[in-house]
mmCIF file of all heavy atoms in Angstrom:
data_model
loop_
_atom_site.group_PDB
_atom_site.id
_atom_site.type_symbol
_atom_site.label_atom_id
_atom_site.label_comp_id
_atom_site.label_asym_id
_atom_site.label_seq_id
_atom_site.Cartn_x
_atom_site.Cartn_y
_atom_site.Cartn_z
ATOM 1 N N ARG A 12 -14.348 -8.979 4.290
ATOM 2 C CA ARG A 12 -15.080 -10.139 3.769
ATOM 3 C C ARG A 12 -14.195 -10.989 2.852
ATOM 4 O O ARG A 12 -13.604 -10.479 1.900
ATOM 5 C CB ARG A 12 -16.310 -9.663 3.002
ATOM 6 C CG ARG A 12 -17.146 -10.769 2.408
ATOM 7 C CD ARG A 12 -18.402 -10.193 1.779
ATOM 8 N NE ARG A 12 -19.192 -11.209 1.122
ATOM 9 C CZ ARG A 12 -19.074 -11.534 -0.171
ATOM 10 N NH1 ARG A 12 -18.211 -10.887 -0.929
ATOM 11 N NH2 ARG A 12 -19.825 -12.471 -0.696
ATOM 12 N N CYS A 20 -4.044 -9.697 8.754
ATOM 13 C CA CYS A 20 -3.518 -8.995 9.925
ATOM 14 C C CYS A 20 -2.033 -8.686 9.792
ATOM 15 O O CYS A 20 -1.575 -7.630 10.236
ATOM 16 C CB CYS A 20 -3.785 -9.811 11.191
ATOM 17 S SG CYS A 20 -5.526 -9.899 11.605
ATOM 18 N N ILE A 22 -0.324 -8.047 7.055
ATOM 19 C CA ILE A 22 -0.155 -6.922 6.125
ATOM 20 C C ILE A 22 -0.585 -5.616 6.792
ATOM 21 O O ILE A 22 0.097 -4.594 6.692
ATOM 22 C CB ILE A 22 -0.949 -7.184 4.820
ATOM 23 C CG1 ILE A 22 -0.318 -8.353 4.049
ATOM 24 C CG2 ILE A 22 -0.993 -5.930 3.946
ATOM 25 C CD1 ILE A 22 -1.158 -8.898 2.922
ATOM 26 N N GLY A 30 2.885 3.942 9.536
ATOM 27 C CA GLY A 30 2.214 5.231 9.710
ATOM 28 C C GLY A 30 0.849 5.341 9.069
ATOM 29 O O GLY A 30 0.216 6.391 9.137
ATOM 30 N N VAL A 41 -14.498 -12.238 8.010
ATOM 31 C CA VAL A 41 -13.122 -12.689 7.809
ATOM 32 C C VAL A 41 -13.092 -14.206 8.017
ATOM 33 O O VAL A 41 -13.884 -14.751 8.788
ATOM 34 C CB VAL A 41 -12.173 -11.976 8.805
ATOM 35 C CG1 VAL A 41 -10.768 -12.554 8.763
ATOM 36 C CG2 VAL A 41 -12.124 -10.480 8.508
ATOM 37 N N CYS A 42 -12.190 -14.900 7.316
ATOM 38 C CA CYS A 42 -12.124 -16.361 7.383
ATOM 39 C C CYS A 42 -10.852 -16.829 8.094
ATOM 40 O O CYS A 42 -9.845 -16.118 8.112
ATOM 41 C CB CYS A 42 -12.161 -16.964 5.976
ATOM 42 S SG CYS A 42 -13.637 -16.518 5.049
ATOM 43 N N VAL A 43 -10.933 -18.029 8.660
ATOM 44 C CA VAL A 43 -9.769 -18.702 9.241
ATOM 45 C C VAL A 43 -9.726 -20.095 8.631
ATOM 46 O O VAL A 43 -10.773 -20.742 8.492
ATOM 47 C CB VAL A 43 -9.893 -18.828 10.776
ATOM 48 C CG1 VAL A 43 -8.598 -19.370 11.375
ATOM 49 C CG2 VAL A 43 -10.245 -17.508 11.417
ATOM 50 N N VAL A 52 -12.003 -25.746 19.281
ATOM 51 C CA VAL A 52 -11.068 -26.401 20.208
ATOM 52 C C VAL A 52 -9.885 -25.476 20.493
ATOM 53 O O VAL A 52 -9.457 -25.316 21.651
ATOM 54 C CB VAL A 52 -10.575 -27.749 19.627
ATOM 55 C CG1 VAL A 52 -9.412 -28.301 20.443
ATOM 56 C CG2 VAL A 52 -11.720 -28.755 19.586
ATOM 57 N N ASN A 65 -5.321 -14.437 40.116
ATOM 58 C CA ASN A 65 -6.363 -13.426 39.910
ATOM 59 C C ASN A 65 -6.720 -13.345 38.422
ATOM 60 O O ASN A 65 -6.176 -12.520 37.695
ATOM 61 C CB ASN A 65 -5.877 -12.062 40.424
ATOM 62 C CG ASN A 65 -6.980 -11.017 40.371
ATOM 63 O OD1 ASN A 65 -8.098 -11.304 39.948
ATOM 64 N ND2 ASN A 65 -6.678 -9.809 40.809
ATOM 65 N N PRO A 76 -16.142 -10.487 16.854
ATOM 66 C CA PRO A 76 -15.234 -10.624 15.718
ATOM 67 C C PRO A 76 -14.262 -9.455 15.566
ATOM 68 O O PRO A 76 -13.078 -9.655 15.264
ATOM 69 C CB PRO A 76 -16.184 -10.696 14.516
ATOM 70 C CG PRO A 76 -17.456 -11.230 15.074
ATOM 71 C CD PRO A 76 -17.552 -10.671 16.459
ATOM 72 N N MET A 78 -12.988 -7.531 17.839
ATOM 73 C CA MET A 78 -11.932 -7.598 18.848
ATOM 74 C C MET A 78 -11.008 -8.799 18.643
ATOM 75 O O MET A 78 -9.823 -8.750 18.993
ATOM 76 C CB MET A 78 -12.540 -7.625 20.257
ATOM 77 C CG MET A 78 -13.163 -6.312 20.670
ATOM 78 S SD MET A 78 -12.037 -4.900 20.544
ATOM 79 C CE MET A 78 -10.837 -5.272 21.822
ATOM 80 N N ILE A 79 -11.532 -9.880 18.050
ATOM 81 C CA ILE A 79 -10.673 -11.022 17.697
ATOM 82 C C ILE A 79 -9.653 -10.581 16.655
ATOM 83 O O ILE A 79 -8.459 -10.885 16.750
ATOM 84 C CB ILE A 79 -11.523 -12.206 17.192
ATOM 85 C CG1 ILE A 79 -12.313 -12.822 18.360
ATOM 86 C CG2 ILE A 79 -10.645 -13.259 16.525
ATOM 87 C CD1 ILE A 79 -13.318 -13.880 17.947
ATOM 88 N N HIS A 90 3.402 -3.923 20.917
ATOM 89 C CA HIS A 90 2.429 -3.031 21.561
ATOM 90 C C HIS A 90 2.860 -2.529 22.936
ATOM 91 O O HIS A 90 2.181 -1.691 23.516
ATOM 92 C CB HIS A 90 1.068 -3.709 21.655
ATOM 93 C CG HIS A 90 1.009 -4.867 22.598
ATOM 94 N ND1 HIS A 90 1.449 -6.125 22.240
ATOM 95 C CD2 HIS A 90 0.574 -4.963 23.869
ATOM 96 C CE1 HIS A 90 1.282 -6.940 23.260
ATOM 97 N NE2 HIS A 90 0.751 -6.266 24.265
ATOM 98 N N SER A 103 -8.803 0.748 13.544
ATOM 99 C CA SER A 103 -10.198 0.609 13.990
ATOM 100 C C SER A 103 -10.781 -0.634 13.331
ATOM 101 O O SER A 103 -10.528 -0.892 12.145
ATOM 102 C CB SER A 103 -11.037 1.824 13.587
ATOM 103 O OG SER A 103 -10.497 3.009 14.133
ATOM 104 N N ARG A 117 -14.113 1.288 -0.371
ATOM 105 C CA ARG A 117 -13.444 0.234 0.382
ATOM 106 C C ARG A 117 -12.513 -0.541 -0.541
ATOM 107 O O ARG A 117 -12.741 -0.637 -1.742
ATOM 108 C CB ARG A 117 -14.482 -0.712 1.001
ATOM 109 C CG ARG A 117 -15.438 0.006 1.941
ATOM 110 C CD ARG A 117 -16.437 -0.939 2.577
ATOM 111 N NE ARG A 117 -17.446 -1.442 1.655
ATOM 112 C CZ ARG A 117 -18.556 -0.812 1.339
ATOM 113 N NH1 ARG A 117 -18.801 0.396 1.849
ATOM 114 N NH2 ARG A 117 -19.422 -1.349 0.515
ATOM 115 N N ALA A 122 -3.483 -10.318 -1.825
ATOM 116 C CA ALA A 122 -2.541 -11.305 -1.264
ATOM 117 C C ALA A 122 -3.112 -12.027 -0.045
ATOM 118 O O ALA A 122 -2.558 -13.040 0.384
ATOM 119 C CB ALA A 122 -1.235 -10.611 -0.889
ATOM 120 N N VAL A 145 -18.725 -19.167 20.547
ATOM 121 C CA VAL A 145 -18.027 -19.028 21.839
ATOM 122 C C VAL A 145 -18.637 -17.943 22.735
ATOM 123 O O VAL A 145 -18.056 -17.588 23.746
ATOM 124 C CB VAL A 145 -16.508 -18.756 21.633
ATOM 125 C CG1 VAL A 145 -15.859 -19.909 20.918
ATOM 126 C CG2 VAL A 145 -16.264 -17.438 20.909
ATOM 127 N N LYS A 170 -30.653 3.574 -8.828
ATOM 128 C CA LYS A 170 -30.781 4.971 -9.274
ATOM 129 C C LYS A 170 -29.560 5.388 -10.087
ATOM 130 O O LYS A 170 -29.679 6.078 -11.106
ATOM 131 C CB LYS A 170 -30.939 5.895 -8.064
ATOM 132 C CG LYS A 170 -32.300 5.814 -7.397
ATOM 133 C CD LYS A 170 -32.362 6.690 -6.160
ATOM 134 C CE LYS A 170 -33.670 6.505 -5.404
ATOM 135 N NZ LYS A 170 -33.691 7.247 -4.131
ATOM 136 N N LYS A 172 -27.623 3.441 -11.883
ATOM 137 C CA LYS A 172 -27.685 2.797 -13.202
ATOM 138 C C LYS A 172 -28.661 3.521 -14.120
ATOM 139 O O LYS A 172 -28.391 3.717 -15.312
ATOM 140 C CB LYS A 172 -28.119 1.330 -13.050
ATOM 141 C CG LYS A 172 -26.986 0.397 -12.713
ATOM 142 C CD LYS A 172 -27.245 -1.034 -13.167
ATOM 143 C CE LYS A 172 -28.475 -1.603 -12.519
ATOM 144 N NZ LYS A 172 -28.656 -3.046 -12.860
ATOM 145 N N GLY A 187 -24.375 14.057 -33.058
ATOM 146 C CA GLY A 187 -24.067 14.908 -34.216
ATOM 147 C C GLY A 187 -23.469 16.247 -33.797
ATOM 148 O O GLY A 187 -22.480 16.709 -34.381
ATOM 149 N N GLU A 188 -24.070 16.862 -32.798
ATOM 150 C CA GLU A 188 -23.565 18.156 -32.307
ATOM 151 C C GLU A 188 -22.208 18.006 -31.624
ATOM 152 O O GLU A 188 -21.313 18.849 -31.796
ATOM 153 C CB GLU A 188 -24.563 18.754 -31.307
ATOM 154 C CG GLU A 188 -25.924 19.079 -31.918
ATOM 155 C CD GLU A 188 -26.937 19.479 -30.857
ATOM 156 O OE1 GLU A 188 -26.501 20.002 -29.817
ATOM 157 O OE2 GLU A 188 -28.141 19.250 -31.056
#
Side-chain angles (χ1 to χ4, degrees):
R12 180 175 176 268
C20 292
I22 292 167
V41 172
C42 301
V43 187
V52 169
N65 186 0
M78 290 305 293
I79 289 172
H90 68 279
S103 301
R117 301 182 289 276
V145 298
K170 287 177 186 174
K172 277 206 300 185
E188 297 172 28

